[in-house]
Amino acid sequence: MGFLDGRKGLILGVANKRSVAWACAKALQREGMEIALTYANERLEGNVRELGAELGVQTILPCDVTKESDIDGLVEGLGKRFGQLDCFVHAVAFAKREELTGTYLDVSKEGYHLAQEVSVYSLPAVSRRIVPLMEGRDGSILTLSYIGAERVIPNYNVMGVAKAALEASVRYLAHDLGPRGIRVNAISSGPIRTLSAAGIDGFAAILDHIAQRAPLRRNITAEEVGDVCAFLASPLSRGITGSTIYVDAGYNIMGL
Ligand code: NAD
Ligand code: IMJ
């Protein structure tokens, strides 16, 4: 018996076993949710199918969020397999690597638009289409953010601006969807070693800094994000919408 028994959820953003989306999938399924996963491209399909098999996931569909036809196909596939949906976890972000170094001053128009398209626009774009499947079920939509939305983190640059827009999107979507019983929230996660953190200049130093300064004097794990994801997907959080909840060992409260 879990607190998500009988519920159904869609998770975007599994690339490999380190992905935050994978930790979310494990936590949701542990609490009884039936899960659907997607893969962004053929290169990742094998990974996602292998991981999905570990959890007995039966619905695994392609979805590159820059392709409207993929989003349409995903929602059609979900309608057929699930009929209805209770939860959507959006754990997708992308910027060109060259935009994640140097100065924000030099951001390119194309790089700016790409980061916004993949990391922000995809949230309302997918939400709009799945809302009919969520109607009347006290649904929960979740996305992943980072403190670089609010404060300057060197090199985060165009992604920081995208996360600021993502957190604002959460508030507007919460306002749009609240009357239909659907909640929308973000989890602002501390740094975790995933594919999206690989090769980031100074990442090890950032982890050390957090371990020394955060109130809990340690870094967080993807599993800790997964557990908060399960909470936000469940009726335990029924009074929370439009919020960004920190899972960061308390780091965000520090002034120095
Ligand atoms: P990850 O690389 O495992 O996940 C990012 C996912 O985005 C991948 O699965 C990738 O396939 C997907 N993606 C990229 N472009 C896409 C596209 N066009 N269509 C569909 N999917 C696409 O890394 P992660 O750290 O698990 O990232 C998940 C989320 O967590 C991201 O939003 C990231 O910004 C956020 N986050 C990560 C950290 C961290 O330190 N790792 C901290 C805070 C927030
Ligand atoms: C990313 C860049 C710079 C500093 C960073 C990060 N710090 C952290 C991240 C301090 C924690 C990871 N993060 C929060 C992200 O949202 C990452 C997004 C991302 C990462 C990459 C790397 C590979 C690539 N494009 C990317 N697009 C988005 O080509």
Side-chain angles (χ1 to χ4, degrees):
M1 278 291 284
F3 56 72
L4 296 171
D5 275 345
R7 289 174 194 253
K8 298 171 199 289
L10 165 67
I11 302 173
L12 261 70
V14 176
N16 59 34
K17 67 179 191 329
R18 292 188 164 202
S19 296
V20 174
W22 178 239
C24 293
K26 286 188 292 184
L28 292 172
Q29 123 116 24
R30 182 191 72 217
E31 297 303 334
M33 188 177 277
E34 187 182 348
I35 300 294
L37 298 176
T38 65
Y39 51 91
N41 54 51
E42 274 128 45
R43 202 163 33 81
L44 294 173
E45 179 175 359
N47 274 359
V48 178
R49 289 203 180 278
E50 264 178 42
L51 286 171
E54 276 180 31
L55 293 188
V57 174
Q58 301 199 331
T59 310
I60 300 180
L61 299 160
C63 186
D64 175 339
V65 294
T66 65
K67 296 184 180 151
E68 298 275 309
S69 56
D70 273 20
I71 306 182
D72 288 337
L74 168 65
V75 176
E76 197 182 311
L78 273 180
K80 279 194 195 130
R81 296 295 289 264
F82 275 7
Q84 287 171 313
L85 198 67
D86 303 281
C87 175
F88 164 40
V89 178
H90 173 276
V92 170
F94 188 77
K96 291 184 189 184
R97 189 167 277 281
E98 64 261 32
E99 303 283 1
L100 299 175
T101 181
T103 61
Y104 179 64
L105 180 67
D106 292 317
V107 66
S108 71
K109 189 172 181 178
E110 197 202 337
Y112 182 91
H113 284 306
L114 181 63
Q116 289 282 336
E117 181 184 13
V118 176
S119 318
V120 188
Y121 178 71
S122 57
L123 180 66
V126 175
S127 298
R128 188 190 312 128
R129 281 141 160 134
I130 58 167
V131 154
L133 299 177
M134 283 189 159
E135 209 89 56
R137 288 178 67 93
D138 304 325
S140 175
I141 296 176
L142 287 166
T143 189
L144 269 298
S145 192
Y146 181 55
I147 197 169
E150 306 162 69
R151 321 265 180 80
V152 173
I153 306 291
N155 299 319
Y156 201 54
N157 299 359
V158 74
M159 273 309 306
V161 174
K163 292 299 192 191
L166 182 70
E167 292 183 11
S169 297
V170 163
R171 292 186 284 272
Y172 280 92
L173 290 172
H175 178 254
D176 291 341
L177 296 174
R180 295 158 84 173
I182 300 169
R183 299 181 294 110
V184 188
N185 293 290
I187 296 173
S188 183
S189 164
I192 301 172
R193 265 194 199 287
T194 63
L195 195 59
S196 285
I200 301 301
D201 268 0
F203 195 76
I206 290 170
L207 291 177
D208 285 348
H209 179 84
I210 304 277
Q212 284 168 24
R213 302 290 170 131
L216 294 179
R217 299 290 193 278
R218 62 171 177 84
N219 282 283
I220 59 129
T221 63
E223 285 63 38
E224 288 171 326
V225 176
D227 284 347
V228 174
C229 172
F231 161 71
L232 287 173
S234 81
L236 293 170
S237 61
R238 64 195 172 277
I240 305 177
T241 193
S243 290
T244 297
I245 309 278
Y246 297 99
V247 180
D248 68 346
Y251 182 72
N252 72 91
I253 69 171
M254 301 305 293
L256 193 64

